[in-house]
Each structure stands twice: as structure tokens, then as C-alpha cells.
Amino acid sequence: MKYVIIGNSAGAIGCIEGIRRHDKAGHIVLISAEPYHTYSRPLISYLLLGATDEQRMKYRPDDFYQQNGVETILGVAVSKIDAAKKQLKLSDGHTVKYDKLLAATGSTPFVPPTKGLEKAANAFTFMTLDDAKALDAVLTPTSRVLVVGAGLIGLKCVEGILHKVQSVTVVDLADRVLSSILNEKGAAIMQQYLAAKGVNFIMGDCVAEFGKNTARLQNSGQKLEFDALVMAVGVRPNTQLLADAGAETDRGVLVDEHCQTSLPDVYAAGDCTQGYDMAAGEKRILALLPNAYLQGECAGANMAGAEKEFTTGLAMNSIGFWGRHIMTAGVYEGKALEETDGDNYKCLFVKDNRLVGFIIIGDVARAGIYTALIREQKPLDEVDFELIKTHPQLMAFSRRERAQMLAGAKEEEA
Amino acid sequence: MKRVYVQEQWCLACHLCEYACAFANSGQKDMSKALKGVKINPRIRIEERDNISFAVNCRHCEEPLCQKSCISGAISVKDGVVHIDQDKCVGCYTCVLACPYGAIMPADGGHVMQKCELCTANGGEPACVAACPNRAIVFEER
Ligand SMILES: Cc1cc2nc3c(=O)[nH]c(=O)nc-3n(C[C@H](O)[C@H](O)[C@H](O)COP(=O)(O)OP(=O)(O)OC[C@H]3O[C@@H](n4cnc5c(N)ncnc54)[C@H](O)[C@@H]3O)c2cc1C
């Protein structure tokens, strides 16, 4: 059996570990455009922050490929998938055959076409280790940095660089920061916190035109000067390869509960996919690392002939800025149960006797107990909801369920 | 695999397991030096309410969501024991968001995470179990 994996990040690694649980012998070939040992993409901001280094941010140990019998082809892109012949064409002209294929090609920063962007000096996106290194190389203590996009990636970049530069200004068309994961109240708390750290925000506006070191804003007409520019408005799934090969795509590559695409023997995982989101009840793009790993692991198991389903895909974000943490999960539908002391904020979303989502800022202790309520679609009348609402805790479960959780009781005997 | 199991009917909420855990992981030889005047941050925690109490620590899941969710590759499984490499951990708290038991928490300072590792780094038998006066936690195969 010959397995071929495109990509070298969370989805790919999950796949290797999924395959090796069931097939210790099959030949695995991993092909990735980036020339590096597998590294943790989200850690590029921590690298600039000084909280990690290139060695420590490796996603798996140095001997990972060797231990798992993986042949790597790094720094080479796959340019075509021929699903009928079951072979790939590589950018260096080689062809590679496969029996089972995983595409974990991730996503690409979306850069909105803007007048004059090609003139802008020191313009970067913030997606890869090379992006981070290139940005870092131009930053000086007198740099004024303009970040376009107040989402997860833009603001993590800000956290990584603020201490190195003179100023950081963030512009976003949305009326609030982190608009993909926070509601108005949560966003207001975070924006105020980040502003107090020294970040300048211009919300509800976008850049109409760039000059070499200038950006003219659309709505206010204001002209900003910058020495470095980071474009971080969002990411788009890398679907081209699979779409060209004939796989069904929507916004992402469509995968089923086995993480298989519509093509025989072709699987996909991670940011490039659109798989089932159990909280939303439909297929969605979940461009998050845990999802990439779990999809890859599921695909790998199935590629190796086991029967595994991944049906608990769910948006779940844990993001922190200078020690202040936000956790969110699920969808923001149904009844919103809010609680705040001005600093800490919590909102639980309850619908049809189930917890379907939450936003927590500040006191995030044990929030995984809430995530599990969503993941397991636990009927809330089976727990002491008044109790668990105040703090996530196992006390809110029945003695029987606790025995399963903590005393190793099997479901039938408990 | 041997794990720490809870027999909640025997728990007295005496919190000795928490102290034993904090001491075992303090790296110190003298208990009073290690714990006196210190706000302990143990990896096993008692939940108590009315007359129910029980200890919660890492379950060392066979399918550990913390490990699969870890964004930095800092969590691994060795012989069934789920281990955090604090040198690699950047304190993103994703494991806290993923753990269904609420058994992972920040280490002192909040920059890296900690959890029960069954005292594998402290010479074998879990200190919490040894300290429990009432067999409310036991270390065994189930
Ligand atoms: C700054 C930043 C911070 C983030 N923070 C978080 C966070 O805190 N939590 C979280 O859950 N997620 C976070 N994410 C998202 C997370 O990084 C992604 O969800 C995750 O990396 C997806 O993994 P993947 O395997 O799908 O793809 P990717 O990590 O995108 O990797 C895809 C790989 O495929 C390769 N590739 C693509 N096309 C080809 C081709 N044609 N041929 C060969 N190779 C190819 C690429 O070179 C790349 O190496 C963050 C992302 C960024 C950029």
C-alpha cells in the first residue's frame, strides 16, 4: 500500500498518526511546498514574541518521519492530481503514484485587491514561518506598522510584534475586533484591553489606496503612514488542486464523515476542507488546528482500511493576548445567558435543551467541560445546569456519570 | 494501564491529595519549606458541595483530545501517560478548551500548562494516592 500526503502541517501529521495506528508497514510519502520540518503554524506569532524558537516550535520531534517510516519530499509543490491514473505531478517534473491520497493543503491568505498595493513597501501576509521571518527582518524600534484585519491572525501578529516597534495601527472594515468569534460585548472588552496595551484601532474602515508608505482610508479619507504593512483580512481554502482533479467543492473541498472527498481513494483534511460542523448542523470551513489534526487522523485510519468517523467537528478557539484569554466554541444561537463583571465576560448559548456555544473572556478555567457539553449534545436537564452555569464542574453531573468519568465505570454497570 | 480512580463515597474533602501533589511537584525535599505560606497549585483538585466531594485529575484518555488539539505539539503520550512538554508549551490554553474533565490548568505564572502525569517524573507511585487517608483515590488497573 502506498500512501501519499500533500502538506506537512496538522492535517498531514494527523494522517500519518492515523495510518500508523492501523498499518505499520505501508509506504508513506509526504510532499510539501514548504521546505521545513513540520512546524506549528500558529506559533509564528509566538516566535516573534520570543515565547518559542524554531527548534521548540517543531510540531513533532526531529526523528518523527524516521520513526513513522515517512519519506519526505520537501520544498516541492504538487501541481496536478490525476485521479484516474492515481498519480501526481510535481513542480520539479517528477510524477508520484498513490494508492491512497490525502490532500491537506491548508489555506492561503486572502489579499483584497486594493489600488496601489503593489507599490506598498514592506508588505507581508502572516501565514508561514517564512512570512514571520521576513516581517521580523524589516522591523525596527522606529517602525510604524499597519495591520489590515482585526481578526485572529492579524491580532496575534500584533501581539507578536508590538514590543519591537514604535506603533501598530489596525484597520478593519468590521465594527468590532475578532468579529468571527466575538459578539459586540466581548469585542468591546477586548478592544479596550488591546488599546490599553498600546494598539491603535480604526474600525469600520478600509484602505482605498496604498502608496509606498501610505494608506488612504475609504470612509474617513484619513491618510496613514507606515513602514511595514501586514495584510490579514482572512484566509481562503486551497481547493484548486482537488477541484481541478474533479473533486466536489463548495467554498472548501467537501468531505464526508470519513474525511473522504467525492473522488475514490482521495481524502482531505484541515483548512482546505469543508466538513460537517456538528454545532452548526451543516458543512462549514473550520480553519482551526484541532479540526485539521482530527480530520487528518480520521482520514488516515480510513486510508489504512479501518472504519473511523469524524462527526464532532466544531468551531473552538482559544486565543490569548498578553495573558488575557478568550475561549469560544460552537455557534451563537438560541438563548444568550450573559454574565460580566466588566472585566471577565461569559455568554452561554442554549438552544433546545442543549448548550450550543459559548464565549468566555478572562476566567477560562475548565472551559473544556462546556465544550464537552456541546460535543456530546448533552441534554441540559440531565445536569445541574444552574450549578454548571456558574462554573464548569463535574459536580453538576449525576453520580453515575461521574463514576464513568472518574472511576472507570463502564456504561452498562454504572 | 494503571490510573488514579476515584471512590467518591470515601472522600473526606481533606485536601491532603492536593498538598501531596503540590509537594511532589515542587522539586523540594522539605514539605514545610515547599508549602508553608505558598498558595498551592496542585494538579489534582477536590470538588466539594454539600456532603459530596471527589478528586479530579487527568484521566489519561485513550483518545486524548488535549493532545490532538495542542497547537504546538507539546503534548504527547508515552506508555499511556499524557505528558506536557513545558518547554514547548506556549500557554495558548487550547488544551483547557479541549479537556472534558477540566483537568488541565496553568502552572504558576500562567505561561505554560500543567496536569497530572501520575508522578512519572517524581519516582513512580502517585503522591496523591499515597497521601489519601481513606482510599478515596486508588492507583490501579480497571
Ligand atoms: C498566525 C496564525 C495563528 C493561528 N492560530 C491558531 C490558533 O491559535 N488555534 C488554532 O486552532 N488555529 C490557529 N491557526 C490556524 C491553524 O494554523 C490552521 O488551522 C492549521 O495550520 C491547518 O492545518 P492544515 O494541515 O490544514 O494546513 P496548513 O497548516 O495550512 O498547511 C498546509 C501545508 O500544505 C502545503 N501545500 C499547500 N499546497 C501544496 C501543494 N500544491 N503542494 C505541496 N504542498 C502544498 C503548504 O506549504 C503547507 O505546508 C492559526 C493560523 C495562523 C496563520
Side-chain angles (χ1 to χ4, degrees):
Chain A
M1 179 64 70
K2 184 172 175 187
Y3 305 98
V4 176
I5 297 172
I6 311 173
N8 188 17
S9 188
I13 300 304
C15 181
I16 294 170
E17 294 178 349
I19 292 171
R20 283 295 177 239
R21 270 201 183 185
H22 304 282
D23 179 357
K24 301 270 184 262
H27 185 194
I28 302 179
V29 179
L30 177 147
I31 306 166
S32 187
E34 286 185 85
Y36 301 107
H37 182 88
T38 183
Y39 68 90
S40 165
R41 185 169 311 293
L43 262 53
I44 61 174
S45 70
Y46 294 86
L47 179 69
L48 301 189
L49 189 63
T52 190
D53 54 44
E54 277 190 60
Q55 179 59 29
R56 285 185 291 157
M57 72 190 278
K58 287 179 178 168
Y59 185 55
R60 287 293 181 270
D62 285 320
D63 62 355
F64 176 81
Y65 304 117
Q66 195 196 343
Q67 288 296 326
N68 286 281
V70 179
E71 176 191 343
T72 57
I73 304 176
L74 302 179
V76 178
V78 174
S79 46
K80 189 171 182 247
I81 300 172
D82 186 333
K85 288 196 191 138
K86 294 180 101 172
Q87 69 181 29
L88 310 178
K89 210 165 167 173
L90 309 191
S91 59
D92 63 5
H94 285 95
T95 54
V96 174
K97 287 199 162 290
Y98 66 83
D99 294 315
K100 304 272 179 188
L101 177 69
L102 176 87
T105 50
S107 45
T108 306
F110 170 63
V111 179
T114 313
K115 204 169 160 196
L117 182 56
E118 69 290 346
K119 282 187 258 168
N122 296 327
F124 302 95
T125 52
F126 197 65
M127 188 71 193
T128 64
L129 184 53
D130 284 339
D131 289 341
K133 288 181 184 173
L135 170 64
D136 198 34
V138 307
L139 297 180
T140 71
T142 58
S143 300
R144 296 156 302 172
V145 184
L146 175 63
V147 176
V148 177
L152 300 157
I153 293 177
L155 293 186
K156 279 312 271 187
C157 177
V158 170
E159 183 198 36
I161 63 176
L162 188 66
H163 68 290
K164 294 176 177 255
V165 300
Q166 188 184 86
S167 69
V168 176
T169 300
V170 181
V171 175
D172 196 311
L173 197 52
D175 61 354
R176 59 183 201 272
V177 301
L178 299 170
S179 60
S180 65
I181 61 164
L182 293 182
N183 57 5
E184 262 170 51
K185 270 193 200 155
I189 292 172
M190 282 317 293
Q191 184 173 334
Q192 194 178 22
Y193 169 80
L194 294 167
K197 292 281 175 192
V199 186
N200 307 310
F201 287 100
I202 301 173
M203 302 305 292
D205 213 337
C206 65
V207 178
E209 183 175 359
F210 286 104
K212 181 160 180 277
N213 294 102
T214 57
R216 183 173 53 80
L217 300 187
Q218 179 88 47
N219 297 339
S220 67
Q222 191 182 347
K223 211 166 190 181
L224 304 171
E225 292 189 8
F226 62 81
D227 304 299
L229 169 69
V230 179
M231 296 296 285
V233 302
V235 298
R236 292 270 168 89
N238 292 330
T239 56
Q240 198 68 44
L241 266 186
L242 280 173
D244 289 348
E248 266 179 50
T249 59
D250 180 19
R251 289 174 54 224
V253 177
L254 293 170
V255 291
D256 64 14
E257 64 279 12
H258 298 106
C259 297
Q260 186 171 355
T261 69
S262 60
L263 297 171
D265 299 318
V266 180
Y267 294 75
D271 282 18
C272 66
T273 69
Q274 190 172 339
Y276 188 67
D277 175 337
M278 64 152 314
E282 62 182 26
K283 286 192 181 179
R284 283 202 182 170
I285 294 173
L286 294 169
L288 294 163
L289 191 138
N291 189 62
Y293 181 91
L294 290 163
Q295 284 186 323
E297 185 192 40
C298 172
N302 289 304
M303 288 159 74
E307 164 76 27
K308 193 175 167 88
E309 290 190 351
F310 178 55
T311 52
T312 51
L314 176 72
M316 49 183 273
N317 282 278
S318 175
I319 185 168
F321 299 97
W322 297 289
R324 191 161 172 70
H325 292 274
I326 305 172
M327 287 190 192
T328 66
V331 292
Y332 307 154
E333 292 170 6
K335 197 164 164 209
L337 306 169
E338 259 184 328
E339 209 179 283
T340 182
D341 60 8
D343 233 7
N344 295 294
Y345 175 80
K346 177 154 93 181
C347 189
L348 302 179
F349 294 88
V350 174
K351 191 176 156 185
D352 303 331
N353 194 31
R354 304 283 193 282
L355 185 70
V356 294
F358 62 81
I359 299 171
I360 305 175
I361 299 174
D363 181 10
V364 295
R366 307 189 81 190
I369 294 175
Y370 288 151
T371 313
L373 290 179
I374 304 176
R375 195 188 294 118
E376 316 216 320
Q377 298 183 303
K378 181 79 184 157
L380 293 180
D381 56 9
E382 291 177 11
V383 296
D384 184 339
F385 186 64
E386 285 310 308
L387 187 64
I388 208 164
K389 205 169 77 181
T390 60
H391 287 293
Q393 54 192 298
L394 303 186
M395 187 68 79
F397 292 82
S398 70
R399 195 180 279 268
R400 202 178 112 251
E401 284 168 303
R402 245 188 342 266
Q404 287 165 18
M405 293 188 219
L406 303 176
K410 306 281 178 289
E411 248 167 74
E412 59 278 16
E413 67 188 51
Chain B
M1 181 185 120
K2 280 169 106 176
R3 289 186 172 77
V4 174
Y5 290 109
V6 173
Q7 326 209 83
E8 79 174 47
Q9 68 277 24
W10 300 116
C11 180
L12 307 166
C14 70
H15 296 263
L16 278 174
C17 53
E18 297 180 345
Y19 286 97
C21 174
F23 175 47
N25 289 298
S26 70
Q28 305 230 27
K29 290 215 167 66
D30 185 274
M31 188 159 187
S32 61
K33 265 203 197 120
L35 302 184
K36 190 143 199 290
V38 171
K39 186 173 186 305
I40 61 166
N41 182 21
R43 298 156 186 215
I44 187 166
R45 299 284 172 99
I46 297 293
E47 281 192 33
E48 56 182 308
R49 184 173 188 248
D50 301 332
N51 48 13
I52 302 176
S53 62
F54 51 87
V56 181
N57 64 346
C58 172
R59 309 321 300 150
H60 299 280
C61 303
E62 274 170 31
E63 301 283 344
L65 283 167
C66 58
Q67 184 258 331
K68 296 171 201 251
S69 302
C70 176
I71 66 165
S72 62
I75 305 184
S76 59
V77 185
K78 225 182 278 161
D79 301 325
V81 178
V82 180
H83 165 68
I84 298 185
D85 180 346
Q86 294 187 327
D87 199 37
K88 284 176 72 81
C89 175
V90 294
C92 74
Y93 285 57
T94 304
C95 53
V96 175
L97 177 63
C99 175
Y101 306 105
I104 308 183
M105 69 288 288
D108 287 337
H111 300 298
V112 295
M113 297 297 120
Q114 66 173 26
K115 54 182 277 307
C116 162
E117 302 195 1
L118 297 176
C119 280
T120 40
N122 309 325
E125 293 279 297
C128 55
V129 171
C132 179
N134 217 27
R135 281 182 58 78
I137 42 177
V138 293
F139 186 51
E140 61 187 38
E141 304 255 359
R142 279 195 181 172

